[in-house]
Amino acid sequence: MAIDPFYEILAARKVIKEAKEINNPELDLAHRGLYFLEDIPGLFKLKNITRLTLSHNKLKNVCGIDYYLINLEILDVTYNRIDEIPNKLTSLPKLRVLNISHNSLNELPQQFGACTVLEILDCSYNNLTHTRLPGNFFKMESLRELYLGDNDFEYFPAEIGNLKNLQILSLAQNDLIEVPGELGQLTKLRELHLQGNILVVLPPEIGFLELASNESVLRLESNFWVPPIEDRLKLGPSHVLDYLRSETYRDLYSRHMSAKPPPPPHTLPSLPLPKRAKKSSKQN
């Protein structure tokens, strides 16, 4: 039985009132049937809020958050209908974690990369492409975890190499034809998810990343690898990394990139995306 939206809004207002009375810094407004933040008066007066959950609603935007909730550290707006992000959202001075996955974003605003303290960004399950990332996106040097799975990337910008503090990068379930060699500059990377794309080869530089230990994760399945990579992948990711560092592979990679064959059709079955690291969920 569906719940009347009117009663959902009343319930949300009650949550706001209770949070104000006890000065609660964490506010959970998930599953409230919200269409507009303006439906819950008093929200923007809660200046002390550090964590706000608005997941599983019907919001199309989150305007106002960037202006009023200046102490916000964690924002979760997953599973909404958001197709536009306020230009200054990530200029919130304390925002560390932003989860905007499972929405309808086609692009990110030009000032999106202005945040200097953002550590975890999840934009999975949207409609982003490499041409719709703002120019300053890769200036967010504080980023430790970046989730961009299940979007529409065919290529990925070489500027990814600027995010020197990245520990987790997910580009799973896109339409990637190739990835840049600058991924090899991410020396702190401990998880790399490339499964479910249309990749045939990898840049040799990836072979030098520390992704072979038991604490590391390298996901490469469900691509269209050349036979030498496919054969070694059956033995384990560490065997792929060893091969990428070889002179034999460097020659193969050079010849492949010079020939530039057309990409294969994307016909492999989809895979579930990686869950965010347990360590991050504890911090969140």
Side-chain angles (χ1 to χ4, degrees), residues 120-139:
I120 300 173
L121 174 61
D122 192 340
C123 296
S124 306
Y125 294 100
N126 279 285
N127 305 306
L128 301 173
T129 69
H130 68 286
T131 61
R132 296 301 182 93
L133 295 179
N136 62 358
F137 184 84
F138 297 101
K139 293 183 179 180

Side-chain angles (χ1 to χ4, degrees), residues 219-239:
R219 297 285 303 276
L220 300 173
E221 66 269 26
S222 293
N223 279 282
F224 292 84
W225 303 118
V226 292
I229 292 182
E230 186 66 38
D231 292 343
R232 286 163 176 80
L233 185 57
K234 294 175 183 177
L235 301 175
S238 62
H239 294 269

Side-chain angles (χ1 to χ4, degrees), residues 32 68 70 82 116 136 161 182 223 227 234-235:
R32 298 293 179 180
Y68 293 101
I70 59 174
I82 297 170
T116 58
N136 62 358
E182 284 76 7
N223 279 282
K234 294 175 183 177
L235 301 175

